[in-house]
Amino acid sequence: MLNKWSVYLLGSLILFVSGIFFFFVGCLYLIWDYVVFMDWEILSLNSCVVTMTLLFDWMSLIFVGCVFIISSMVIYYSESYMGSDLDSVRFYFLVILFVLSMMMMIISPNLMSILIGWDGLGLVSYCLVIYFQNYKSYSAGMLTILTNRVGDVAILLSIAWMLNYGSWHYIYYMGMWDFWEFYLVSLIILAGFTSSAQIPFSSWLPAAMAAPTPVSSLVHSSTLVTAGVYLLIRFSDMIQNLNCSFVLTLSMMTMFMAGLGANFEFDLKKIIALSTLSQLGLMMSVLFIGYPVLAFFHLLTHAFFKALLFLCAGLMIHCMSDSQDIRHMGMVVNHLPFTCTCFCISNMSLCGMPFMSGFYSKDIILEMMMISGYNFFVFMIFFMSIGLTVSYTFRVIYYTLFYHVNVYSCQGYLEDQIMMKSMIVLSVLAISAGSMLSWMVFSVPFLVVLPFYLKLMPLIFILMGGWLGYEFSMSNLGGPLLSQRFYLFSFYSGSMWFMPYFSTIMIYSNFLYLSKGYSEVMDGGWGEYLVSNSFLFLSSLISKLVNYYQFNNVSIFMLVFVLIVIFSLV
């Protein structure tokens, strides 16, 4: 009989091997410019055909390969992380289901089969968010699944709308445009916005941090939140026909809001979640500007370093007796040197440090944005968001690795072999994946001719952001932090512009007052007497009369006798 834990090792090995296989096949398809379109007929009845369609092109295969490689490392890491959990086998199968749902979504050129993968992602993510069963997890899971249901409804409506075309294979209709397609694309953009947590649906993403850390790593790197971006990349040929200025503004505001909020947050997992939100805003923005391949390129590079970032954070939280507050984490670098090295590698890649994997995608995104002819507002929001990314990253590094005032004593620091092995693979990818993918995805090198000061602008904002992050986290002994001096501003920025309140209590509180009024008037008021109690009142009245008659009351007998006599005489 197999050991209970070996199921993790087996699953991660199978996923890793198949991920590398898919990745190399995707690279070959990219070089050959080759596409395989598989149509499997399940049922044919008269002229009605039910088919299962799979699309294998370079984009879907490389993405499936990356998802499988990342999830294999996350599952391998989970063997140690979830080792003491009683339901660890259930957790394993939930993660496998999650990965398979994402694969289903990636390789589908058909809205019907996309819905299967999309719904699978929503339902399994709910099961994983409420895995640690407490009230916070239940609330977060409910917010997650209800927000994603909006996207499900949008896809269902777009399936109904595609009845106008004759097929649900959206890939056939990419080259055409008519007035019908505006509604279809609007629904698809709505679905993408809910899954990728853009404004006004942003509040579920930090709430989903209630899930175990390996799940957060998987969700925030390559599965649930990237499904929306990937769907819009697939529909990008249709989206180019629209005026995208409104949705571009929303995604840029998401990028800016998340970067600003992360500078005032003290929960380590929430900071990384807001960082994911910021990067999703960047992907969406560059997609709406008109560069879907660049958005896909950043999607892949981001997946590697964000998965690594979460795995490192998970080990640090594990060693801190499950405290996620960065104010408890001073001088971790002395106790967990390897983990902190990987943490810094992933953070530098996130910042866009030259020659790390994040640099290759971010730098070219900024340069293409500069030559795309958008206005100064777009220009400034992009660069300020890059600066804010570096700012919160340096703040986290300062608090967790070097800040010696808040060192949390009496902790059991242990770097696990299993966790370290999974981090090594992702560290290599976080360093080298950007350059490797940029050589492959762009067959011809991009030559962006800009003035010298514009070429240096990204690096200038990176340095300014690092300085700002240091200023945010510095405090004289006994003195307040910079953010505490501007408390109203920091509270407003740190609470995601009050979006969680709008998503939760603002929606249902007024409806609860309304329903309370209805309840008092109808259920506890007139409705109670006229509707609910009327049958009871009538039947009890009749039974009282019958009862009164049955007790041989002489006066009733005499009255009945007199009545009978009168009726007979009449």
Side-chain angles (χ1 to χ4, degrees):
M1 183 178 169
L2 279 172
N3 184 10
K4 186 176 158 186
W5 304 115
S6 63
V7 71
Y8 278 92
L9 184 60
L10 182 68
S12 68
L13 193 64
I14 292 169
L15 279 174
F16 187 69
V17 171
S18 52
I20 287 175
F21 171 74
F22 276 122
F23 189 82
F24 277 113
V25 173
C27 296
L28 287 174
Y29 278 29
L30 176 61
I31 294 163
W32 298 336
D33 197 15
Y34 193 68
V35 179
V36 173
F37 196 85
M38 289 173 63
D39 231 353
W40 175 42
E41 187 177 304
I42 298 169
L43 177 69
S44 178
L45 190 65
N46 298 339
S47 62
C48 242
V49 183
V50 179
T51 59
M52 179 72 215
T53 317
L54 305 175
L55 171 70
F56 295 103
D57 63 346
W58 71 271
M59 194 177 274
S60 62
L61 281 168
I62 286 180
F63 195 22
V64 168
C66 291
V67 169
F68 276 13
I69 289 168
I70 290 168
S71 52
S72 71
M73 290 300 108
V74 168
I75 286 171
Y76 187 55
Y77 174 93
S78 303
E79 179 179 349
S80 173
Y81 191 87
M82 306 299 288
S84 57
D85 192 76
L86 295 175
D87 299 318
S88 56
V89 176
R90 182 180 68 182
F91 174 80
Y92 167 78
F93 283 112
L94 280 172
V95 173
I96 291 286
L97 265 175
F98 200 53
V99 174
L100 292 179
S101 299
M102 187 65 192
M103 187 187 101
M104 185 77 196
M105 207 226 106
I106 293 169
I107 59 175
S108 301
N110 184 322
L111 273 181
M112 293 295 258
S113 47
I114 274 183
L115 185 70
I116 298 169
W118 195 276
D119 258 350
L121 283 171
L123 290 170
V124 179
S125 69
Y126 174 70
C127 296
L128 288 166
V129 169
I130 64 164
Y131 186 81
F132 294 140
Q133 295 175 6
N134 52 50
Y135 285 116
K136 186 188 170 195
S137 297
Y138 295 150
S139 309
M142 197 47 73
L143 179 59
T144 302
I145 196 166
L146 288 179
T147 312
N148 281 298
R149 288 313 289 170
V150 177
D152 293 345
V153 169
I155 287 190
L156 281 166
L157 288 173
S158 53
I159 285 172
W161 200 256
M162 280 195 83
L163 288 169
N164 295 310
Y165 295 102
S167 166
W168 285 302
H169 289 61
Y170 66 86
I171 213 128
Y172 294 162
Y173 306 108
M174 282 294 127
M176 58 178 270
W177 181 255
D178 60 8
F179 71 96
W180 286 107
E181 296 207 0
F182 169 75
Y183 303 102
L184 174 65
V185 173
S186 302
L187 287 167
I188 293 295
I189 288 175
L190 175 64
F193 264 46
T194 55
S195 177
S196 293
Q198 303 297 294
I199 286 175
F201 306 108
S202 302
S203 55
W204 72 262
L205 198 103
M209 289 295 94
T213 307
V215 175
S216 306
S217 172
L218 203 53
V219 166
H220 285 252
S221 62
S222 56
T223 49
L224 181 62
V225 294
T226 55
V229 181
Y230 181 78
L231 186 68
L232 294 188
I233 289 169
R234 282 295 190 196
F235 275 87
S236 57
D237 289 348
M238 283 186 183
I239 292 170
Q240 304 307 322
N241 295 306
L242 288 178
N243 177 12
C244 295
S245 53
F246 175 65
V247 279
L248 172 64
T249 309
L250 285 181
S251 49
M252 284 195 319
M253 286 292 99
T254 308
M255 175 168 65
F256 181 71
M257 177 267 301
L260 195 60
N263 277 295
F264 300 103
E265 183 61 64
F266 286 102
D267 186 324
L268 180 60
K269 281 178 76 173
K270 271 197 179 166
I271 292 172
I272 306 176
L274 288 166
S275 140
T276 305
L277 191 52
S278 174
Q279 300 306 305
L280 288 168
L282 179 64
M283 292 171 213
M284 285 286 193
S285 305
V286 76
L287 176 68
F288 291 131
I289 285 175
Y291 302 108
V293 178
L294 275 183
F296 182 67
F297 177 40
H298 187 56
L299 182 68
L300 294 183
T301 56
H302 168 260
F304 293 123
F305 61 73
K306 189 50 62 73
L308 176 62
L309 196 56
F310 263 111
L311 296 191
C312 297
L315 183 53
M316 285 155 73
I317 290 166
H318 220 43
C319 292
M320 282 289 158
S321 306
D322 299 328
S323 166
Q324 298 181 12
D325 199 318
I326 57 173
R327 291 168 292 193
H328 293 165
M329 294 187 185
M331 299 304 281
V332 177
V333 69
N334 291 347
H335 309 287
L336 306 171
F338 179 80
T339 308
C340 291
T341 307
C342 295
F343 189 68
C344 285
I345 286 170
S346 53
N347 270 320
M348 292 302 108
S349 190
L350 168 67
C351 291
M353 197 79 162
F355 312 115
M356 307 287 276
S357 76
F359 165 76
Y360 288 92
S361 54
K362 276 195 168 183
D363 197 59
I364 199 154
I365 282 173
L366 285 170
E367 291 184 349
M368 296 308 282
M369 181 273 301
M370 284 192 261
I371 64 167
S372 62
Y374 274 85
N375 57 22
F376 185 68
F377 175 72
V378 176
F379 188 90
M380 278 317 293
I381 289 285
F382 261 83
F383 276 106
M384 284 166 71
S385 302
I386 295 293
L388 287 169
T389 301
V390 187
S391 165
Y392 65 71
T393 304
F394 271 76
R395 177 173 170 267
V396 165
I397 288 175
Y398 179 75
Y399 263 101
T400 53
L401 271 57
F402 305 120
Y403 192 42
H404 58 276
V405 177
N406 56 347
V407 61
Y408 209 46
S409 59
C410 302
Q411 296 299 322
Y413 295 102
L414 178 68
E415 288 191 320
D416 200 310
Q417 291 291 323
I418 292 174
M419 294 184 178
M420 284 165 71
K421 282 175 192 165
S422 55
M423 283 180 206
I424 288 171
V425 176
L426 288 172
S427 298
V428 170
L429 289 168
I431 295 168
S432 60
S435 55
M436 181 173 68
L437 284 165
S438 67
W439 295 331
M440 285 191 310
V441 173
F442 309 119
S443 54
V444 179
F446 271 94
L447 180 65
V448 183
V449 181
L450 289 168
F452 182 65
Y453 67 92
L454 282 182
K455 276 284 188 188
L456 285 182
M457 274 277 275
L459 286 175
I460 291 167
F461 270 84
I462 283 174
L463 293 172
M464 282 172 62
W467 169 75
L468 186 69
Y470 180 72
E471 287 294 330
F472 267 139
S473 50
M474 266 300 287
S475 70
N476 300 321
L477 281 175
L481 285 169
L482 189 65
S483 57
Q484 287 171 325
R485 293 178 209 157
F486 307 101
Y487 182 71
L488 284 175
F489 173 73
S490 60
F491 179 70
Y492 173 65
S493 304
S495 61
M496 293 175 67
W497 298 351
F498 302 141
M499 217 173 303
Y501 301 107
F502 283 108
S503 301
T504 52
I505 197 164
M506 293 287 277
I507 288 178
Y508 63 70
S509 59
N510 294 329
F511 286 103
L512 284 179
Y513 283 127
L514 192 66
S515 61
K516 184 168 180 264
Y518 279 139
S519 169
E520 285 173 351
V521 171
M522 293 302 296
D523 290 359
W526 286 105
E528 181 74 23
Y529 291 105
L530 291 179
V531 181
S532 305
N533 284 347
S534 57
F535 297 107
L536 183 66
F537 176 72
L538 193 63
S539 60
S540 66
L541 185 67
I542 293 168
S543 66
K544 276 180 186 175
L545 284 171
V546 170
N547 206 14
Y548 189 62
Y549 175 69
Q550 282 177 343
F551 275 117
N552 298 329
N553 199 313
V554 177
S555 58
I556 287 182
F557 282 129
M558 291 301 293
L559 184 66
V560 171
F561 176 71
V562 168
L563 283 173
I564 289 170
V565 168
I566 290 169
F567 276 120
S568 63
L569 287 172
V570 170

